[in-house]
């Protein structure tokens, strides 16, 4: 037997890992060496295997989060997930979730990372573009929260807009790595663009969006931080198709695969309305030196007399269920679950789910607001590991704001009070 860690038998090493305190996350121990990574991957169940559906509801006064332990129970309503300390205040919106950590963007443009299981919150200062008041197109649709499995790093990605219009052009991307002191401005190819209507989604160590041509899929690798063209969309959304297409989104599933869904009118040969159909595509990994390709996973066909359902986003497939939403986008929204079990009589072998008038999709919940769905798994990973004295901080106070002190050239975290409400940027 050798003298190095790589010579310890896997069963003995696994027993050692189980005795380590929870303050040392196993995902970060994967970075020590190849042997540690292989043992931890073989002996530790992937956290997404226990993931549940989280519904984030954006209200007029506050935002709320609900977790669903069972998608087969109709009108379950969800288990309330408390967002304390100014996290769910008016104007807060969800950026994304990773391994049990929630990333939200608040009304003033700053970002907060939350672990609901421990009650910790990590306050992240506004990105550099906030200094120049780039706000008209600077919405949550331009943000994403991702995790790279090889490096074990969490990153918040912000696409910085520099022009108005339906599409957004940019030549830099703001990146904040949890544990760093500040945002970094990463230059990309000049004239790059994205369409906010498709969303910005992180999956498998990369952040994806669609370019201004509504056809080109782009990716920003979270390891080397390079922007590149991936492939084209399987169904193009353009001026000639807008009379038939109702909605479209980039999404993800429980396995972390990137998805693309498009809902359109289903027309008969006589050009009369037959109903709606929703196509669910996933992007498969082509392997080394092979082009990645889209695979049509399922098609949901609905009768013409029923109001069309929209695919939930950014998380749309959970286990054997496709999540859909219905509502007017402002006053109310409902969450439904379509079973993808091949034994179901309404699903044929080509993956087409036929919804009949007499069997509407099960209603899981109904809210008086708009909603998004995410994958969520409880974790005890402490956010204190990523706090930084000169940048992000784990905050205990219930209310706070970021205040830019020009004399020091940096953002400072202070308690919120009425006299400082309008002093986000020092004059």
């Amino acid at each position: 037997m050798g003298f190095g860690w790589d010579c310890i038998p896997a069963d003995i090493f696994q027993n050692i890992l189980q005795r380590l305190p929870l303050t040392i996350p196993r995902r970060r121990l994967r970075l020590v060496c190849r042997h540690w990574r292989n043992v931890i991957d073989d002996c530790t169940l992937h956290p997404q295997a226990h993931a549940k559906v989280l519904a984030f509801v954006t209200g007029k006064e506050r935002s709320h989060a609900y977790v669903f332990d069972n998608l087969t129970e109709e009108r379950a309503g969800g288990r309330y997930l408390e967002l304390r300390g100014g996290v769910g205040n008016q104007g807060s919106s969800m950026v994304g979730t990773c391994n049990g950590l929630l990333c939200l963007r608040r009304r003033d443009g700053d970002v907060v990372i939350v672990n609901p299981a421990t009650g910790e919150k990590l306050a992240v200062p506004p990105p550099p573009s906030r200094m120049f008041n780039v706000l008209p197109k600077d919405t949550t649709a331009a943000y994403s929260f991702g995790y790279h499995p090889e490096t074990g790093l969490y990153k918040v990605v912000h696409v910085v807009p520099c022009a108005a219009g339906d599409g957004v052009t940019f030549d830099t991307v703001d990146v904040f790595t949890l544990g760093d002191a500040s945002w970094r401005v990463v230059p990309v190819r000049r004239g790059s663009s994205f369409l906010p209507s498709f969303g910005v989604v992180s999956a498998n160590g990369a952040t994806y969006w669609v370019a201004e041509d509504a056809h080109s899929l782009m990716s920003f690798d979270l390891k080397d931080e390079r922007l590149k063209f991936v492939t084209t969309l399987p169904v193009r959304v353009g001026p000639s198709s807008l009379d038939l297409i109702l909605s479209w989104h980039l999404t993800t599933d429980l396995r972390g695969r990137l998805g693309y869904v498009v809902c359109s009118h289903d027309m008969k040969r006589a050009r009369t309305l037959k109903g709606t159909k929703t196509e669910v595509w996933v992007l498969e990994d082509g392997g080394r030196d092979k082009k990645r390709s889209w695979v049509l996973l399922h098609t949901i066909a609905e009768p013409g007399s029923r109001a069309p359902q929209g695919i939930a986003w950014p998380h749309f497939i959970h286990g054997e269920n496709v999540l859909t939403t219905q509502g007017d986008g402002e006053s109310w929204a409902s969450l439904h679950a379509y079973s993808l079990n091949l034994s179901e009589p309404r699903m044929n072998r080509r993956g087409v789910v036929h919804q009949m008038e007499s069997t509407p999709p099960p209603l899981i919940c109904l809210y008086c607001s708009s909603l998004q769905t995410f994958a969520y798994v409880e974790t005890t990973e402490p956010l204190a590991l990523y706090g930084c004295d000169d940048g992000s901080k784990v905050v205990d106070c219930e209310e706070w704001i970021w205040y830019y002190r020009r004399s020091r050239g940096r953002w400072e975290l202070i308690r919120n009070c009425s006299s400082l409400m309008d002093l986000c940027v020092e004059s």
Side-chain angles (χ1 to χ4, degrees):
M1 182 174 180
F3 296 99
W5 279 98
D6 56 344
C7 297
I8 297 180
D11 56 342
I12 298 178
F13 185 42
Q14 180 185 5
N15 187 271
I16 295 174
L17 290 174
Q18 292 175 345
R19 298 172 184 270
L20 292 175
L22 292 176
T23 53
I24 306 178
R26 294 185 182 184
R27 286 191 296 273
R28 297 181 70 84
L29 292 177
R30 295 175 69 257
L31 309 180
V32 173
C33 65
R34 181 177 300 176
H35 177 60
W36 284 38
R37 183 189 64 192
N38 293 337
V39 173
I40 293 174
D41 288 348
D42 291 340
C43 301
T44 303
L45 189 64
H46 193 277
Q48 291 300 86
H50 298 294
K52 304 180 185 299
V53 173
L54 183 149
F56 187 79
V57 182
T58 304
K60 295 182 179 179
E61 296 182 357
R62 283 188 61 84
S63 298
H64 304 276
Y66 301 89
V67 176
F68 295 91
D69 300 313
N70 187 356
L71 290 178
T72 62
E73 182 181 355
E74 292 195 34
R75 296 186 178 275
R79 171 167 50 91
Y80 182 69
L81 195 66
E82 188 172 6
L83 301 176
R84 297 175 293 180
V87 175
N89 285 357
Q90 182 182 15
S92 296
S93 54
M94 182 77 78
V95 173
T97 63
C98 286
N99 302 326
L101 302 182
L102 279 57
C103 178
L104 296 96
R105 180 176 181 267
R106 301 202 305 164
R107 178 176 56 184
D108 291 333
D110 61 320
V111 174
V112 57
I113 311 296
V114 183
N115 185 341
T118 63
E120 291 179 297
K121 50 184 178 291
L122 184 73
V124 178
S129 57
R130 177 65 177 85
M131 287 296 301
F132 305 101
N133 295 320
V134 185
L135 295 178
K137 284 286 183 178
D138 188 16
T139 64
T140 305
Y143 288 77
S144 187
F145 182 46
Y147 170 78
H148 198 282
E150 292 184 15
T151 63
L153 298 177
Y154 295 93
K155 295 186 178 183
V156 183
V157 177
H158 172 222
V159 180
V160 185
C162 59
D166 294 334
V168 175
T169 60
F170 60 94
D171 47 33
T172 60
V173 173
D174 292 338
V175 178
F176 187 90
T177 303
L178 267 61
D180 284 357
S182 61
W183 291 79
R184 290 176 292 104
V185 178
V186 179
V188 295
R189 184 176 57 193
R190 183 178 295 274
S192 298
S193 63
F194 87 104
L195 283 178
S197 60
F198 286 88
V200 181
V201 175
S202 290
N204 286 331
T207 300
Y208 297 88
W209 58 78
V210 176
E212 192 175 11
D213 62 3
H215 195 44
S216 301
L217 179 69
M218 312 298 296
S219 73
F220 182 79
D221 190 274
L222 296 180
K223 182 179 180 180
D224 58 26
E225 297 184 348
R226 293 182 180 179
L227 178 65
K228 67 177 182 179
F229 168 79
V230 180
T231 185
T232 56
L233 297 179
V235 179
R236 185 163 189 167
V237 177
S240 60
S241 62
L242 291 182
D243 58 334
L244 298 177
I245 296 180
L246 300 173
S247 62
W248 55 88
H249 291 293
L250 292 180
T251 59
T252 60
D253 66 358
L254 194 58
R255 293 168 54 187
R257 295 180 300 179
L258 181 72
Y260 172 62
V261 294
V262 55
C263 178
S264 60
H265 288 296
D266 191 8
M267 309 294 289
K268 294 181 179 179
R269 292 184 178 181
R271 303 300 293 174
T272 58
L273 183 62
K274 181 180 179 181
T276 62
K277 67 174 181 179
T278 301
E279 295 181 340
V280 179
W281 299 80
V282 293
L283 185 63
E284 296 288 356
D285 189 356
R288 181 176 297 181
D289 300 329
K290 292 184 179 180
K291 184 178 179 181
R292 303 179 68 180
S293 59
W294 294 98
V295 175
L296 180 60
L297 194 64
H298 296 290
T299 300
I300 299 175
E302 295 191 79
S305 57
R306 182 187 299 165
Q309 303 257 345
I311 290 291
W313 63 281
H315 179 67
F316 78 107
I317 286 188
H318 196 88
E320 295 183 345
N321 297 281
V322 166
L323 305 176
T324 66
T325 60
Q326 186 176 4
D328 60 7
E330 296 181 358
S331 301
W332 64 275
S334 58
L335 179 64
H336 307 259
Y338 286 88
S339 175
L340 297 180
N341 193 336
L342 286 175
S343 63
E344 293 286 340
R346 65 175 180 272
M347 182 173 182
N348 64 25
R349 291 294 172 178
R350 294 184 179 180
V352 179
V353 182
H354 290 280
Q355 292 298 321
M356 309 306 294
E357 196 70 38
S358 59
T359 57
L363 172 63
I364 306 302
C365 62
L366 177 65
Y367 298 114
C368 297
S369 303
S370 60
L371 66 88
Q372 293 173 276
T373 54
F374 300 86
Y376 172 71
V377 55
E378 291 187 357
T379 178
T380 56
E381 182 172 358
L383 283 176
L385 292 172
Y386 306 103
C388 179
D389 292 337
D390 295 329
S392 57
K393 297 182 180 180
V394 176
V395 292
D396 298 322
C397 58
E398 290 299 301
E399 301 286 342
W400 78 90
I401 61 173
W402 285 97
Y403 175 79
Y404 188 76
R405 196 173 299 279
R406 292 188 180 276
S407 59
R408 299 181 181 179
R410 68 180 186 183
W411 292 93
E412 294 184 0
L413 195 65
I414 62 176
R415 289 183 179 273
N416 191 7
C417 61
S418 58
S419 61
L420 293 176
M421 284 297 293
D422 298 324
L423 293 179
C424 293
V425 180
E426 187 180 43
S427 59

